[in-house]
Amino acid sequence: QVQLVESGGGLVQAGGSLRLSCAASRTIFSPFSINAMGWYRQAPGKQRELVAAITSGSGGGTDYADSVKGRFTISRDNAKKTVYLQMDSLKPDDTAVYYCNTRTTNWPWGQGTQVTVSS
């Protein structure tokens, strides 16, 4: 059973930056690298949404929600089975719990990491 562990969240002022990490373990049945990955977030009272995605392999392709385009950057390190999310120019609307998963969300969700942006 794959386990996802997100980290790097915290409290930051508007305009600040954070770098999130998501490490996958126990990817027994297939290499981590074959999975397209995504970062998702869920704000209080709202549905979980996809904010950034990266293709499988070397991650040459990325895609972003309009709300974060130009401010967030997703990347991956397959050797470390880790996906990153660099978040710059943070806004209060970015406040949420952030999760990673495959693009098909077929792995168990981790506990997420809380990001709080103060105005």
Side-chain angles (χ1 to χ4, degrees):
Q1 184 86 345
V2 174
Q3 184 177 24
L4 296 167
V5 179
E6 298 91 350
S7 61
L11 173 63
V12 64
Q13 288 188 332
S17 298
L18 286 172
R19 189 190 192 211
L20 307 184
S21 299
C22 172
S25 62
R26 306 178 193 171
T27 53
I28 298 173
F29 299 109
S30 61
F32 176 78
S33 61
I34 72 168
N35 297 282
M37 299 295 295
W39 277 98
Y40 304 78
R41 70 184 181 188
Q42 187 167 21
K46 295 186 177 180
Q47 288 190 332
R48 191 172 296 175
E49 62 172 345
L50 175 69
V51 296
I54 189 166
T55 54
S56 60
S58 61
T62 57
D63 195 18
Y64 301 91
D66 288 343
S67 58
V68 307
K69 199 169 292 184
R71 300 188 297 119
F72 290 10
T73 304
I74 187 172
S75 61
R76 65 189 298 159
D77 184 335
N78 292 326
K80 295 182 178 179
K81 299 181 182 179
T82 300
V83 182
Y84 303 98
L85 186 67
Q86 177 67 41
M87 306 188 297
D88 299 317
S89 302
L90 282 161
K91 303 176 180 180
D93 285 348
D94 296 319
T95 296
V97 179
Y98 285 72
Y99 305 85
C100 76
N101 209 316
T102 66
R103 280 294 285 113
T104 57
T105 65
N106 60 313
W107 287 350
W109 293 96
Q111 83 289 350
T113 186
Q114 175 71 49
V115 172
T116 303
V117 184
S118 63
S119 57

